[in-house]
Amino acid sequence: MKKWFPVVSGITAGFLAATVFFADFNVGSKTVAVDPAKKSNAEKVYVPFGEKDEYYLFASGGHSGQMFIYGVPSMRHIRTVPVFSQDSATGYGWDEHTKELMGGYTWGDLHHPAFSETNGDYDGKWMFATDVGNSRAAVMGLDSFTVRDIISVPNTSGPHCAAFVTENTEYIFLPTRFAVPLGSEYASLDEYSEKYRGVMSAVSFDETTEKLGVAWQVALPPWSYDLSDAGKGMSKDWAVLTTYNTEEATTNLEINASQADRDYIVLFNWKELEKMVADGQFDEVNGQKIIFPEKHKGSIYLIPVAKSPHGVDVTPDGKRFIASGKLAPAMTVFSFEKAFAAIGNKDFSGERNGIPVLNYESVMEREVNPENALGPLHTQFDDKGMAYTTMFISSEVVKWDPNTGETLDRVAVQYSPGHSVAAEGDTMSPDGKYLVALNKIAKDSYLSVGPSHPESMQLIDISGKMEVIQSAPVNPEPHYAQMIKADKIKTFTVYPKDENRPNSVWKQEDTRIERIGDEVHVYGIAMRSKFIFDAKSQRPDVIEVNEGDNVVLHLTNIDLDQDITHGFAINMHDINIEVQPGQTNTLKFKADKAGTYPLYCTNFCSALHQEMTGYLLVKPKQ
Ligand code: CUK
Ligand code: CUA
């Protein structure tokens, strides 16, 4: 097995031809799974008007840079929350606050959302996400579904192998997909093995200040780190990562990174690493505390695993971790207990880059290879501890027993599933009931919209024999999702009226326009159904400035009623912000075009919403 695709297509064709458990398919265009006419399935996903879904599904929006929120079981798309990308629906990325959050970037590649946890359970407070495109981390507050902080993570490149949080959200770990020299400084690829590094960042989050910060980092070998999971219960101080390209290839990775029969799982004890940092066992590079494993010894180990693994998932009881094959058609079950014993006995088969390699046989419990199942990627769990692994190539989800390796059930999905997500799936007590397959290629699933098809998310009832009961389009494909019990999330409806909030104005008579040199500061109000920028003016809804002025508009929405959001746009200025009930937002722009420009509320807010307009008048320079 040297290459992914030739092998895959050969085996796949044979596999498909031989398969009998797909009820209805042909090789050219597999038609499988959902029978929309089946009434019992329709009833299972029907949420009558006025009632709410049982779960929230948070699906990463990939290179849209956004997070998609769905309800389960209806699979209705409820909201798109902008995280790393501008979003004109909410004005995200135009007002000063969100512009600053975005840090000068206009997009991101959002992977692997992760809820905050308390005692190994989702606590419904925060959602973390990473940006593979521009090496950032973000946190969203679940009381308002808004981003509170975004940081650029120094010394890293593409934190794909993230985010995973520890049992009490002590850290959000961000290992990287790409190896680069620390600080991304120039180094010839001939010096790859000496100068390049894959860096894992331990990011902490302060709930009080709502700020993320890089606590410390580990300069791992120059490999790619793919997926990861944090330990639970007995393994709570530990975490695991998969690696590929341990060949340290610098070009044509498709072939060159698949040469060796084995790559590794990195196993590390973050509690001990934390202690090492406290004891001064680190080097400071680019302002960061970095552990170099070849020098600062201990707490990090390698476990050989079949070549180019993809996902690695810790069982809910924290006793095992399961690596999925990608190139090898098997799941490998490892035991934490065995790993700890091997570490204690120094049961090493050697070392790589100064990191001890544990004996595979000492740590491995079993290799599981369900018949004809190909391309295992990710595993989720139900309330009984049973595993559900997505098979990218054989386009199915396989249910199996991690205790015995026995295959229990399998269901076809349409088509190639990447991740799947189970209800409360990454907690110590998954709910069972539902699993959503996140399918990469959804040919023919929906009405055609041209050459590029929407991807699909398929809801699977796992309460009995697995059955696909709903399908929902999503674009682009989600790179993982998490599903949380709806009653865990407590949102607020109106931003509290805060007279001390800087630049806020709550009374019409306090609105004003002040000039300081060429800066014009507008302290305005948005309310049903008008803007008031200066109540004392003859025309309170007009902003008149001179060409070249810098305008700073502070706009407060004084409508403290649920769902009365106002927008603010200026014609032909590429400007668009939003103020939710009780919120104050600041907008800065240079009035560099002389002329007459209508301004208006973009968000429907009352029967007289169309009347909620005014003018920006920019007097030409003489
Ligand atoms: S990765 Cu495994 S299928 Cu970005 Cu989570 Cu996509
Ligand atoms: Cu305010 Cu429309």
Side-chain angles (χ1 to χ4, degrees):
M1 251 200 217
K2 274 215 167 137
K3 275 178 71 180
W4 174 242
F5 284 107
V7 170
V8 162
S9 42
I11 298 181
T12 310
F15 165 64
L16 291 176
T19 309
V20 289
F21 54 80
F22 290 160
D24 167 24
F25 78 94
N26 59 69
V27 175
S29 76
K30 292 182 285 175
T31 307
V32 287
V34 190
D35 177 0
K38 199 169 158 191
K39 195 167 171 238
S40 58
N41 286 350
E43 276 171 2
K44 279 181 191 164
V45 300
Y46 180 61
V47 178
F49 184 74
E51 285 177 30
K52 305 277 165 65
D53 278 298
E54 191 181 351
Y55 291 92
Y56 284 99
L57 176 77
F58 284 63
S60 77
H63 49 285
S64 76
Q66 299 164 329
M67 190 90 77
F68 304 135
I69 317 294
Y70 284 74
V72 173
S74 73
M75 295 304 285
R76 290 183 294 212
H77 176 220
I78 303 169
R79 172 52 61 93
T80 295
V81 180
V83 179
F84 296 117
S85 298
Q86 267 190 328
D87 175 45
S88 54
T90 51
Y92 187 85
W94 276 271
D95 65 81
E96 284 304 298
H97 174 64
T98 54
K99 230 159 104 177
E100 194 186 316
L101 282 176
M102 288 181 65
Y105 293 103
T106 60
W107 80 288
D109 186 6
L110 197 157
H111 283 243
H112 304 135
F115 288 120
S116 56
E117 291 184 19
T118 302
N119 299 324
D121 195 12
Y122 302 152
D123 57 25
K125 293 200 277 189
W126 311 98
M127 164 55 81
F128 303 98
T130 59
D131 168 18
V132 178
N134 292 311
S135 302
R136 290 175 293 170
V139 57
M140 183 197 302
L142 299 183
D143 54 358
S144 61
F145 285 61
T146 53
V147 172
R148 301 301 172 72
D149 196 23
I150 296 181
I151 56 166
S152 282
V153 185
N155 295 324
T156 61
S157 190
H160 176 271
C161 186
F164 64 102
V165 300
T166 54
E167 229 177 49
N168 285 293
T169 320
E170 291 94 341
Y171 292 107
I172 304 113
F173 282 102
L174 271 61
T176 56
R177 171 176 171 188
F178 311 111
V180 292
L182 293 177
S184 296
E185 64 183 38
Y186 172 80
S188 161
L189 280 159
D190 295 335
E191 301 175 296
Y192 185 85
S193 294
E194 299 77 53
K195 295 212 168 150
Y196 286 57
R197 290 286 183 153
V199 171
M200 177 179 77
S201 305
V203 169
S204 56
F205 176 61
D206 183 332
E207 280 197 338
T208 318
T209 60
E210 303 191 346
K211 294 283 175 213
L212 296 163
V214 180
W216 41 270
Q217 299 181 313
V218 181
L220 291 167
W223 308 335
S224 291
Y225 300 87
D226 209 8
L227 262 300
S228 54
D229 204 359
K232 300 177 172 94
M234 68 170 294
S235 57
K236 69 177 163 45
D237 299 343
W238 295 79
V240 280
L241 327 174
T242 51
T243 65
Y244 60 101
N245 194 23
T246 57
E247 294 86 348
E248 302 181 10
T250 56
T251 183
N252 197 2
L253 261 54
E254 182 192 14
I255 292 168
N256 294 335
S258 310
Q259 299 297 311
D261 281 340
R262 292 268 148 112
D263 287 292
Y264 301 102
I265 285 178
V266 181
L267 171 69
F268 68 92
N269 183 313
W270 58 265
K271 270 266 167 76
E272 286 174 19
L273 293 173
E274 183 182 64
K275 191 164 175 301
M276 280 167 63
V277 172
D279 293 345
Q281 286 194 64
F282 61 85
D283 287 356
E284 199 163 314
V285 185
N286 302 323
Q288 302 300 317
K289 296 168 179 161
I290 306 190
I291 293 170
F292 289 82
E294 70 274 24
K295 184 167 152 194
H296 312 110
K297 294 273 186 186
S299 315
I300 304 178
Y301 305 90
L302 300 174
I303 303 166
V305 65
K307 68 158 85 176
S308 302
H310 188 56
V312 59
D313 298 279
V314 175
T315 53
D317 60 13
K319 291 183 179 163
R320 299 183 172 107
F321 51 103
I322 297 166
S324 295
K326 192 164 82 178
L327 292 189
M331 291 82 79
T332 313
V333 183
F334 296 94
S335 152
F336 273 110
E337 210 176 312
K338 288 184 168 193
F340 299 160
I343 291 167
N345 300 333
K346 295 202 178 339
D347 185 0
F348 303 144
S349 61
E351 61 168 49
R352 275 290 303 265
N353 303 49
I355 307 174
V357 179
L358 300 176
N359 254 315
Y360 177 72
E361 283 71 25
S362 308
V363 184
M364 192 269 297
E365 215 166 70
R366 65 174 52 84
E367 289 170 355
V368 179
N369 187 358
E371 200 182 345
N372 292 327
L374 289 172
L377 291 187
H378 299 282
T379 301
Q380 288 276 288
F381 304 94
D382 68 13
D383 51 329
K384 315 240 168 25
M386 295 302 111
Y388 296 77
T389 302
T390 45
M391 300 291 167
F392 182 81
I393 297 162
S394 53
S395 290
E396 59 180 326
V397 176
V398 173
K399 176 180 177 182
W400 57 283
D401 185 345
N403 305 298
T404 61
E406 186 195 352
T407 301
L408 302 173
D409 195 5
R410 47 212 295 176
V411 69
V413 295
Q414 193 161 345
Y415 295 103
S416 307
H419 286 264
S420 74
V421 53
E424 302 260 324
D426 288 306
T427 68
M428 292 182 73
S429 51
D431 283 3
K433 277 178 131 163
Y434 297 118
L435 183 85
V436 175
L438 311 174
N439 307 328
K440 302 281 191 197
I441 296 162
K443 279 198 264 310
D444 310 329
S445 291
Y446 310 107
L447 289 173
S448 173
V449 287
S452 173
H453 297 224
E455 318 291 353
S456 83
M457 298 200 293
Q458 285 182 304
L459 178 66
I460 301 168
D461 178 357
I462 57 169
S463 57
K465 165 112 188 88
M466 281 196 287
E467 206 175 0
V468 176
I469 55 173
Q470 182 65 301
S471 176
V474 58
N475 191 38
E477 95 273 20
H479 298 264
Y480 198 40
Q482 282 194 334
M483 208 193 303
I484 189 172
K485 199 98 174 116
D487 59 16
K488 282 188 178 176
I489 291 186
K490 311 268 182 251
T491 54
F492 67 84
T493 48
V494 172
Y495 282 87
K497 179 175 176 178
D498 176 2
E499 313 249 2
N500 297 319
R501 188 189 301 149
N503 305 316
S504 64
V505 176
W506 299 94
K507 294 195 204 95
Q508 299 195 25
E509 58 266 34
D510 292 340
T511 56
R512 61 197 186 275
I513 298 179
E514 291 172 355
R515 174 176 286 279
I516 311 165
D518 67 353
E519 269 189 22
V520 178
H521 291 256
V522 183
Y523 297 86
I525 276 174
M527 60 187 288
R528 276 165 292 181
S529 299
K530 59 188 167 204
F531 292 111
I532 304 171
F533 304 120
D534 183 0
K536 291 173 287 299
S537 157
Q538 198 187 350
R539 297 190 182 90
D541 46 15
V542 170
I543 301 171
E544 184 155 351
V545 298
N546 299 322
E547 185 183 350
D549 280 348
N550 289 303
V551 183
V552 185
L553 167 67
H554 307 289
L555 192 62
T556 301
N557 179 352
I558 65 163
D559 282 324
L560 302 177
D561 293 320
Q562 181 167 331
D563 199 28
I564 302 300
T565 294
H566 299 287
F568 176 89
I570 305 175
N571 209 222
M572 295 189 287
H573 274 69
D574 196 28
I575 277 171
N576 164 43
I577 68 167
E578 178 181 279
V579 272
Q580 295 182 3
Q583 199 182 24
T584 304
N585 264 331
T586 296
L587 169 76
K588 286 187 190 173
F589 65 97
K590 196 171 171 70
D592 48 9
K593 288 188 287 194
T596 302
Y597 306 102
L599 53 88
Y600 72 103
C601 172
T602 50
N603 211 313
F604 190 91
C605 52
S606 79
L608 296 173
H609 156 77
Q610 283 299 88
E611 279 74 5
M612 194 164 170
T613 63
Y615 282 98
L616 169 72
L617 298 172
V618 184
K619 265 192 260 176
K621 272 185 188 145
Q622 290 313 321

